[in-house]
Amino acid sequence: MLETITAVNQAVNSFIWGIPAMVCIIGVGLLLSVRTGFLQLRKFPYAIKTTIGRIFRKKDASDGAMTPFQAVCTALAATVGTGNIAGVAGAIAIGGPGAVFWMWCSALLGMCTKFSEVTLAVHFRERNKNGELVGGPMYYIKNGLGSRWQFLAVLYSLFGVLTVFGTGNATQVNTIVTAIDSALLAYGSSLNSILPTVNLVVGVVVAMMVAMVLLGGVKRIGSVTEKLVPFMALFYVVLALGVVVINYRRFPAVLASIVGGAFDPQAFTGGTIGSIFLSMQKGVSRGIFSNEAGLGTGSIAHACADTRKPVKQGMFGIFEVFADTIVICTLTAMVILCSGVPVGYGSAAGAELTISGFTATYGGWSSIFTAVALCSFAFSTIIGWGLYGSRCIEFLFHTDKVVGPFLVVYSFVSILGATVDLGLLWSIADTFNGLMSIPNLMALLLLSGTVAKLTKEFFAGEGAGK
C-alpha cells in the first residue's frame, strides 16, 4: 500500500513540479512584476519603512479582526517554519548549492506575487456570520472573477483542506521530533531505546497545545503569533549569523558554489548532481514551500487585518518573502555550507543536516538550542496553517459549524506526524502545494489588471504618503 502511494505521489509530483509549473510560477511572477513596474524593487525601501514602522505601532483591532502586525505575524508563523530549516537542507542535498541561487530568484519574483495576493485578499474580503473578516484566494476568485470561475475557488479550498494536514501539521511535527531526537542522541546513543515513547509524548503535547490556541479563535491566534514569531526569528538569525562569522574564511567559496552551482551543479557536487533543471526545480519548489508565494495561503491571514488600505497591507507580502527566504533561508544555507559538514548530494536530507551544521561549529550543546528553534518554528507553522484550513473548510461548507470539529481532527494529526516517515511526508506536501498553486496562479493571472490598477491609484493618491 505504501509503495503504491509513493509511486502515485511521485508521478503526480513530477508532473506538477515539472517544466510547465516552473514556467507558470515564474511567468505569473514576472507578469505581475511588469504590470506593477517591478514594485518589489522600485518600492522596496517604502515597503520596509511601512512594515517595520507598523510593527512597533501598538493598536487594538476591531472585533473579528487582527492588527496589521498580528496578521503579518500569523502569516510569518506559517511561512517561517521547517521549510526554512529542513526544506533548505533538502534542496541543497538534492539540487546542490546552486539550488540556493534559484531560491533567491524565485523569492525576487515571489515578493511581487505575494504582494498581489495580499492586496487582492484585503480588497475582495468579506465578513462571515460571526462578524470576522475572511478572505484569501477563494474569496478573490469568488468576488473578483464572478460565478463562472467559482469552481476554481472550490478547488483551491479543497486542496487547501487536504494540504494543511501534511504541509501545515504532519511535516512540522515530524521535524520537531527529529530535532528532539537529535538533541537527545547527542548525549548518548543509549537513549535510542526511549525515542519512540518520547516521539509519542511530543505528538500528544503538541496536539493539546495546538487545540488550545486554535479553538480560541482569531484573537488568540494573533496574540500568540505576535509574541512567538519575533522571538523565534531573532533567536535563529543570531545563532545562524554566529556560524557564518566563525567560519568567515569559507564564505567566499560558499558564495562561488551557490552562483556557480546554479549553472554547473556537477562542478560542486562531485558529479552526483549534474542537471541544471534539477537544481532549479528544487530551489524554486523549496522556496515556494517556505515563503508560499504563489500558493495564496498567507493572504488568508492578511485578510483578517484591521486596515482599509489593501496596497499598504500588500507591502507586508514583500517584507514576508524577503524575511523568510532572503534572510532566514539564506542563513540556513550558510550554516550548512559554511560549517563544512559533509553533504550527501543526491540523497534526501532534512533538519538533521542543518543541526549538524550548528553542532559542528558550536559543539554538541547547540543541538538543544537548535531543537528549541525548530520546535518554535514548527509550532508556529501549525497554528498559521490551522487558520488557513479552517477558512478553507468554512468556505466549502458555507458555515462555521464545521470549523470546530475540523480543528480537533487537525490537532490530532500531530500525533500521527510524530511517527510517519519524513521523506514521504515532504514529497506529499510538495505535491499538494503544487495543486494549490494552480487555481491561485490562474486567478492572479486574470486579476493582474486589478492589482496594477489598485497599486497605481494608491501611489498616485494621498494614501502613499500617510
Side-chain angles (χ1 to χ4, degrees):
M1 182 65 179
L2 192 62
E3 290 79 6
T4 304
I5 294 172
T6 304
V8 171
N9 178 72
Q10 189 173 356
V12 177
N13 187 282
S14 298
F15 174 77
I16 290 173
W17 289 112
I19 294 175
M22 297 298 104
V23 171
C24 288
I25 292 166
I26 295 170
V28 170
L30 190 58
L31 173 69
L32 290 166
S33 297
V34 170
R35 297 205 70 166
T36 58
F38 283 88
L39 181 84
Q40 70 271 43
L41 300 178
R42 190 167 47 89
K43 294 291 183 180
F44 183 75
Y46 173 77
I48 297 300
K49 177 186 174 184
T50 301
T51 53
I52 298 296
R54 291 170 82 185
I55 280 173
F56 297 104
R57 190 181 305 163
K58 292 294 181 183
K59 175 188 173 185
D60 292 326
S62 60
D63 291 339
M66 299 179 184
T67 65
F69 178 50
Q70 288 177 335
V72 74
C73 279
T74 303
L76 273 171
T79 54
V80 180
T82 57
N84 299 79
I85 300 173
V88 173
I92 292 172
I94 302 296
V100 179
F101 176 86
W102 297 115
M103 201 178 288
W104 291 341
C105 291
S106 72
L108 189 64
L109 295 176
M111 286 182 194
C112 192
T113 303
K114 198 150 195 178
F115 161 80
S116 303
E117 291 168 349
V118 174
T119 300
L120 289 171
V122 175
H123 182 67
F124 288 112
R125 67 187 175 180
E126 53 188 62
R127 284 192 182 270
N128 63 13
K129 293 178 182 177
N130 291 330
E132 294 179 337
L133 290 169
V134 292
M138 54 280 199
Y139 289 95
Y140 57 70
I141 291 170
K142 171 192 167 188
N143 299 325
L145 296 178
S147 57
R148 282 187 311 162
W149 299 94
Q150 185 77 6
F151 74 97
L152 281 182
V154 173
L155 276 178
Y156 183 87
S157 299
L158 180 62
F159 291 143
V161 171
L162 294 172
T163 301
V164 296
F165 293 107
T167 300
N169 194 326
T171 56
Q172 310 302 325
V173 180
N174 197 285
T175 305
I176 287 176
V177 297
T178 299
I180 292 173
D181 291 352
S182 297
L184 289 174
L185 290 174
Y187 285 91
S189 58
S190 60
L191 295 172
N192 193 61
S193 60
I194 67 168
L195 294 186
T197 304
V198 170
N199 293 348
L200 180 60
V201 171
V202 169
V204 172
V205 171
V206 171
M208 292 171 62
M209 291 174 65
V210 168
M212 286 171 59
V213 174
L214 291 178
L215 292 172
V218 169
K219 289 282 189 181
R220 187 179 296 173
I221 294 170
S223 177
V224 171
T225 56
E226 76 173 339
K227 295 176 180 67
L228 181 60
V229 170
F231 160 75
M232 71 180 192
L234 184 62
F235 179 80
Y236 186 76
V237 165
V238 170
L239 206 63
L241 275 174
V243 175
V244 178
V245 171
I246 292 170
N247 299 288
Y248 72 94
R249 288 187 180 86
R250 292 192 178 116
F251 187 71
V254 166
L255 279 182
S257 70
I258 290 172
V259 178
F263 304 98
D264 186 13
Q266 206 165 15
F268 298 91
T269 61
T272 307
I273 300 165
S275 168
I276 294 176
F277 179 73
L278 180 62
S279 181
M280 183 187 295
Q281 182 190 37
K282 288 302 172 184
V284 173
S285 67
R286 290 304 190 195
I288 292 168
F289 186 91
S290 176
N291 62 47
E292 298 170 23
L295 299 184
T297 45
S299 68
I300 297 173
H302 285 282
C304 302
D306 189 8
T307 179
R308 294 187 182 131
K309 296 176 180 177
V311 172
K312 202 160 192 175
Q313 190 66 26
M315 291 295 157
F316 276 112
I318 294 174
F319 170 75
E320 258 178 57
V321 176
F322 174 78
D324 178 271
T325 306
I326 303 299
V327 177
I328 297 178
C329 283
T330 299
L331 283 173
T332 298
M334 292 302 166
V335 166
I336 295 167
L337 298 171
C338 286
S339 63
V341 293
V343 179
Y345 292 115
S347 302
E352 68 282 352
L353 181 58
T354 307
I355 292 171
S356 66
F358 281 110
T359 55
T361 303
Y362 296 121
W365 62 269
S366 65
S367 62
I368 298 174
F369 292 96
T370 312
V372 170
L374 272 166
C375 291
S376 298
F377 276 37
F379 182 70
S380 70
T381 300
I382 296 169
I383 294 172
W385 275 85
L387 173 66
Y388 300 164
S390 66
R391 290 293 191 244
C392 286
I393 203 165
E394 181 181 342
F395 183 87
L396 281 175
F397 288 91
H398 306 288
T399 176
D400 64 334
K401 291 181 180 179
V402 296
V403 172
F406 166 80
L407 290 176
V408 171
V409 174
Y410 176 78
S411 300
F412 275 102
V413 168
S414 299
I415 300 173
L416 180 67
T419 54
V420 176
D421 177 66
L422 179 66
L424 181 58
L425 274 175
W426 276 114
S427 185
I428 291 173
D430 248 1
T431 301
F432 278 127
N433 267 349
L435 288 171
M436 278 187 83
S437 70
I438 295 169
N440 183 56
L441 289 171
M442 289 178 67
L444 289 175
L445 184 67
L446 295 168
L447 291 169
S448 59
T450 304
V451 175
K453 180 174 175 286
L454 289 170
T455 304
K456 185 178 180 182
E457 288 174 353
F458 177 78
F459 286 105
E462 294 181 355
K466 291 184 180 180

